[in-house]
Each structure stands twice: as C-alpha cells, then as structure tokens.
Amino acid sequence: CESLSLRKRLKECLLIFLSLVCLLVFCWLSITALHFLPQDKAIIAKHNLVLPTILFFITGFVVAGSYLFGKKKVIIVLPVIFVILISVDSLRFAQKWMPFDSSAFLFPDVPVIKAMQQTVGTGRAFGGFGTEVQTYYGIPSVEGYDPLYIQRYGEFIKAGTTGNYTLPDRSLVQIDRHAASTPRLLNFLSVNLIFQPKSQLFADYNFPVWGRPDIYKVVYNDDKFLLYQNLQALPRARLYFRFEVISKPHQILSRFYQPDFAYDHILLLGKLPSVSFVPSTQATGSAVITDLEPTKIVISVTSSQRGLLFMPDPDYPNWHATVNKKPTEILRADYAFRAVEVPKGKSEVVFTYSYF
C-alpha cells in the first residue's frame, strides 16, 4: 500500500513538474528560436531568465522531496526557503529596474543651478524649479507643500491673493503669480533671484518679469533658462525702529496687505516688546549675516538706538535666540516671522534651532 501511494504521488509530482518544465522551455524557445522579441530585447530577456530558471529547479526539487517523502521538517522550512529565493530575485530585479547609481547621475551639475547657488547669497530664489531641486542643491525658496508645511506661514502667503485671511485649500504654500501684492511679497521675503525657463517666459502660470529692467535684471542667460535679479528685494536680516501692536492675528494680515502699508519700515507685533523704546524715523543701523546654516544663523548688528532685528523666516518652535550671548525672547512679527530686540551699539545675534 505504501509503495502504491508513493508511486501515485511520484506520478502526480512528475506530471506537475513536466508541465512547468514545458512552460519554461516554451519561454526559452519563444525568445531564442521563435523570435517573438527583437534581438536586442531577446538578449536581455535571456539574461533575466537565468536566475528564475535556477530558482525554479531548486524550488521544484524541494517541493517534490517534501511531497514524496512527507518530511515535516522540510515542509516547515519550505516557506523560509521561498522567502529567501524570492528576496534574492527581487533584489536583482530592483537593481535592474532602479539602479543604485551615484547621486551625480540623478542630480547632475547644470550650469543654471550653479549660477543660482552662486548668485542667491543670503537671499531666496523663486520660480518653477521644484522642491527636489531646492532641497538637494540647497537653494533657499519660499514655496513648499505637505511635509514641510507651517500653518501660519501658509496662511500668510495665501492672504497675499485677496489681501485678507483666507483658509488655505490644503497644506500647500504657493504664491499667486498675478496677485497685486506679489511683488511686495517677494521683496519682503528677500527673494533676490527669479528663475524662468525661456519656453515658459510668457506663460500665465509664471511671474511676469519681462519689461521691467529697472526692477528685474537679467544676470544669467543660456539657451534654455534665464535668471533675474530682483533689485528691490529687502535684505534677509534688517533693523526696524517702528512698530504697531495688533492683538488679533487676522487683522495683522489685513494691515500688512494694505497697499499703503510701509512693510519695509514698520513691523506688526502681537504684543509690546519687553523693553519699551521710542519709535524713530531717524535711527540708522545695519545687520549683516555672517553665518547662515540650516540650524544656526549669526548676525552682526550695529544700531544707533534700541530697535528690532527682523528676519522673514517662519517663527517655529525650538528656535532660540541670544543677543551678545544672553538668551532673549523671539517675538512673532508680521503674523508668521521672528524678531528680537537689540540694544544701541554693536551686537551679535545668534538664532539656533534645537531638536530637543
């Protein structure tokens, strides 16, 4: 009885195995003899069939052995063997489909990008060059979406379309290219470089820079791209000696986007500074960024009287500030940005981001 049962199982195994072998042989013949594929594609297909063929025979022998001889240990180990074999084949396929090449091949050196890196300085760039480019090449921008979304900053940008608070559609920060307030918004955010593909120069979805050489000056020109310098962009770090206090956040947005509001001379705060000072239209000073890193900014300040050092960088938790090595409060200014009080004379202001 055992002999008959073994013969029956052997016949079943052989039948299944021969059927699969026939299918495999047909695949090989279709590639080599029947010429279903062009010659160049057939060579690739044959190479790709080598490892699956080896895996097929290994798997066939393991399954046949466990089926014929009823070895429980083999049956238990079988799924593990399958996973290992499939993993090897998947890794091989991944290397063919998505080669693990050097990043230099994915992000090559492009002349226009080199020009952007050399020209932008401590300012920011604007245009349709994409988040991937600005992230990899370290080009500071003013737009973004989803994982890097900061709500108040997004609301500030969105309000530029209508001049008032507007609920953003989604976690997207995108400047309206044709809003009346867009030029002043770019100036305020220290956008000193504008990127424009020549093929899209007059497209509706691009910011119109043509016809204004007194404001937008061409600083780079090749067969595909243009770079414009915004001559009216404000510096990234700047001093203010006048301010207004508005306690209701949405009213700050309405005030900022009023056409007659002097955004380059007046800061909008949510509360009074800790040390009061007399607003002045005669005070002078300078603020120079001496070190600009993702988590650290050092600014050298000279001021004729007490004032406010402002940066159009989003106010975000875990940013800390010191003035002359003494901790100081970061004030939220112009709805979404940060400012610190600085004394009369020379000072060193350091912004530091801490992850804890």
Side-chain angles (χ1 to χ4, degrees):
C1 291
E2 291 182 2
S3 177
L4 291 174
S5 177
L6 182 61
R7 288 180 182 177
K8 182 180 179 181
R9 283 187 290 176
L10 182 59
K11 288 181 180 179
E12 291 174 352
C13 275
L14 286 174
L15 183 61
I16 296 172
F17 191 69
L18 287 174
S19 300
L20 294 175
V21 168
C22 290
L23 179 61
L24 189 61
V25 169
F26 175 77
C27 291
W28 278 100
L29 288 174
S30 65
I31 294 172
T32 56
L34 301 180
H35 303 295
F36 285 168
L37 296 174
Q39 185 62 27
D40 57 333
K41 302 295 190 299
I43 294 173
I44 298 173
K46 283 192 289 186
H47 282 299
N48 288 340
L49 268 177
V50 171
L51 183 58
T53 302
I54 296 172
L55 295 179
F56 168 77
F57 282 107
I58 293 175
T59 304
F61 287 129
V62 172
V63 172
S66 61
Y67 182 74
L68 287 173
F69 303 106
K71 299 291 185 181
K72 292 184 179 180
K73 291 183 179 180
V74 175
I75 296 174
I76 295 173
V77 175
L78 195 59
V80 178
I81 297 174
F82 282 160
V83 169
I84 294 173
L85 294 177
I86 293 171
S87 299
V88 171
D89 191 38
S90 298
L91 179 61
R92 182 191 67 90
F93 177 79
Q95 289 177 329
K96 283 179 169 291
W97 184 251
M98 296 185 300
F100 296 97
D101 290 329
S102 169
S103 59
F105 295 105
L106 186 60
F107 293 99
D109 290 331
V110 180
V112 66
I113 293 179
K114 281 189 174 181
M116 292 175 71
Q117 291 173 320
Q118 295 168 358
T119 310
V120 71
T122 58
R124 293 189 172 100
F126 175 65
F129 47 85
T131 305
E132 299 83 0
V133 171
Q134 69 188 50
T135 301
Y136 181 81
Y137 291 103
I139 299 173
S141 180
V142 290
E143 296 181 309
Y145 62 94
D146 292 341
L148 304 180
Y149 180 76
I150 300 174
Q151 183 176 348
R152 288 186 75 99
Y153 179 70
E155 292 170 350
F156 177 84
I157 298 298
K158 182 68 175 180
T161 302
T162 61
N164 295 287
Y165 171 80
T166 305
L167 185 66
D169 299 327
R170 50 167 290 194
S171 55
L172 174 68
V173 176
Q174 187 172 23
I175 294 176
D176 188 333
R177 268 53 177 171
H178 297 282
S181 61
T182 297
R184 64 155 43 201
L185 185 58
L186 297 181
N187 298 341
F188 172 80
L189 293 173
S190 305
V191 174
N192 62 346
L193 195 64
I194 299 175
F195 168 87
Q196 287 281 15
K198 284 186 175 180
S199 61
Q200 303 171 6
L201 187 60
F202 300 103
D204 291 338
Y205 50 80
N206 272 335
F207 178 68
V209 293
W210 54 89
R212 296 299 306 271
D214 57 324
I215 300 177
Y216 307 113
K217 175 185 175 183
V218 176
V219 292
Y220 177 86
N221 186 356
D222 64 19
D223 59 334
K224 293 182 179 179
F225 303 105
L226 289 164
L227 293 179
Y228 290 84
Q229 182 181 4
N230 179 12
L231 300 177
Q232 294 186 345
L234 297 177
R236 181 84 167 266
R238 50 192 186 259
L239 286 172
Y240 284 78
F241 300 100
R242 297 163 61 192
F243 64 89
E244 296 178 10
V245 177
I246 302 177
S247 59
K248 295 183 179 180
H250 293 174
Q251 291 181 2
I252 294 177
L253 291 174
S254 300
R255 175 64 172 144
F256 180 88
Y257 285 108
Q258 287 178 355
D260 60 346
F261 175 67
Y263 65 91
D264 52 343
H265 290 96
I266 302 173
L267 272 187
L268 301 177
L269 304 178
K271 65 176 184 177
L272 286 168
S274 60
V275 178
S276 62
F277 61 91
V278 179
S280 171
T281 58
Q282 305 299 321
T284 59
S286 64
V288 179
I289 297 175
T290 58
D291 187 14
L292 181 60
E293 302 174 23
T295 58
K296 183 180 180 181
I297 304 171
V298 181
I299 306 164
S300 178
V301 180
T302 302
S303 179
S304 63
Q305 74 160 53
R306 189 172 188 86
L308 293 165
L309 173 67
F310 172 79
M311 291 196 71
D313 290 17
D315 181 34
Y316 194 77
N318 292 355
W319 274 103
H320 307 280
T322 62
V323 177
N324 296 327
K325 299 183 179 180
K326 295 181 180 179
T328 188
E329 180 185 9
I330 296 178
L331 301 172
R332 179 177 287 164
D334 288 346
Y335 190 78
F337 307 96
R338 54 182 185 254
V340 295
E341 300 173 58
V342 292
K344 178 180 177 180
K346 292 185 177 181
S347 304
E348 183 183 69
V349 178
V350 180
F351 289 98
T352 307
Y353 184 83
S354 173
Y355 294 99
F356 304 102

